[in-house]
Amino acid sequence: MTTDGPTASASASASASASASAPIPDPGRHLTAPTTRSALRIQHQLLFSAREFLRGHGFTELLPPIIGPVTDPGSRGSKQVDVDFYGHRYKLMTSAILYKQASLLAFDKIFCIAPNVRLEPLETAGTSRHLAEFHQLDVEMAGASRDDAVRLVEELVVHMVDSAVRELPKEFAELGRDVDAFTELLKGSFGRMRHAEAVAELRGLGHPQSPDAELDWDGEALLSAQRDRPFFVTDYPKGSRGFYDREDPEHPGLLRNFDLIAAEGYGELCSGSQRTNDYAEIVTRMRETGENPQKYRWYLDLVREGVPGSAGFGIGVERLTRYVAGLDAVWQASAFPKLAGVVSP
């Protein structure tokens, strides 16, 4: 496990909590606010540099669907949205994961930038890190391992942040974001810890984290606040994540997956894993998690015919923007933000 030194981020977390619960201004005031414009310019540069990096590494950009018969079931208590598709019940996408795996039948390396809709629990309106509608930078690689995905995330994030810092000094100055906060990040070599180590650290800090579940939101923020560079949490327990994460054959009960968590109390930026492409294993895992395999028939048919083994990840665009721009709340990184339970354009 690699750990980094603590940072003075408690005040930032406190101000984030206060700002997250503040009302979102009307669209006119929000879009013309200097903070919004600077944040969205940074977001534009982050996405520009991501496309530049991924295309340079042989990835093909695809446009994924935004509705389908099923979507990713593993969304931490959020609700899916049903739509009537000519008499059939379809879903708005909560994640492109199933379509990313299917897309590898056409290309070995793909990425997409797509909207996702998750009706988050009402309490997330005050977390500073949740939106009901958000965008994700999704990446998938055929024949890759979990460690391949981790290395790519690290290189990609370093490239994106370095590009924004170099190209937009005025915007960072307008936001009051000290770019020295990225000194350790830009060196690469992000820290790593296993889920079990994260649980032990949190319990040592007095936080009652379950060893059988994903890190809860408060736990993520607490670990994040102790560090001055992003870090990976790996090896989540089986049952805590979706049916598509590959179980580690050398460590039964653990999954070959990861989260990337930002420094300074900003919390999770990215989730990913090595995927399983074994038909029988996927069906078994679906049943173990209470999913009906029949709902996933199109996906399971492709798996049975031969979908490549792969690894990939999704980076929350607004969350990454919030961290890089030093914003109090993630809604400030969206042109038209939608918070849980808040009716807005």
Side-chain angles (χ1 to χ4, degrees), residues 238-316:
K238 183 180 176 183
S240 67
R241 288 290 178 90
F243 56 75
Y244 38 77
D245 286 6
R246 181 177 291 277
E247 186 173 4
D248 191 336
E250 297 177 4
H251 301 92
L254 298 181
L255 301 171
R256 288 181 171 172
N257 58 7
F258 64 91
D259 281 346
L260 175 63
I261 299 179
E264 305 177 79
Y266 285 96
E268 180 199 331
L269 299 177
C270 167
S271 287
S273 74
Q274 187 171 341
R275 322 298 189 188
T276 180
N277 63 331
D278 181 272
Y279 177 87
E281 181 182 352
I282 291 174
V283 170
T284 298
R285 293 276 301 282
M286 283 180 173
R287 288 172 174 155
E288 287 174 350
T289 56
E291 289 295 316
N292 178 6
Q294 190 59 38
K295 293 194 307 181
Y296 298 85
R297 183 50 49 199
W298 75 267
Y299 168 74
L300 289 172
D301 286 347
L302 288 181
V303 171
R304 184 159 46 190
E305 292 166 10
V307 170
S310 65
F313 54 85
I315 297 175

Side-chain angles (χ1 to χ4, degrees), residues 1 22 25 27 55 106 129 135-136 147 191 201 207 232 301 308 313:
M1 178 181 76
R55 288 170 180 165
R129 296 190 287 129
H135 294 77
Q136 196 151 279
D147 289 344
E201 181 174 334
H207 182 74
F232 294 101
D301 286 347
F313 54 85

Side-chain angles (χ1 to χ4, degrees), residues 50 79 94 162 172 315:
K79 293 182 180 179
T94 63
D162 180 62
F172 282 99
I315 297 175

Side-chain angles (χ1 to χ4, degrees), residues 4 9 44 55 62 97 129 144-145 158 167 191 224 282 338:
D4 302 304
S9 60
H44 167 78
R55 288 170 180 165
L62 298 181
I97 174 62
R129 296 190 287 129
S145 68
V158 169
E167 296 293 331
S224 175
I282 291 174
K338 292 179 178 64

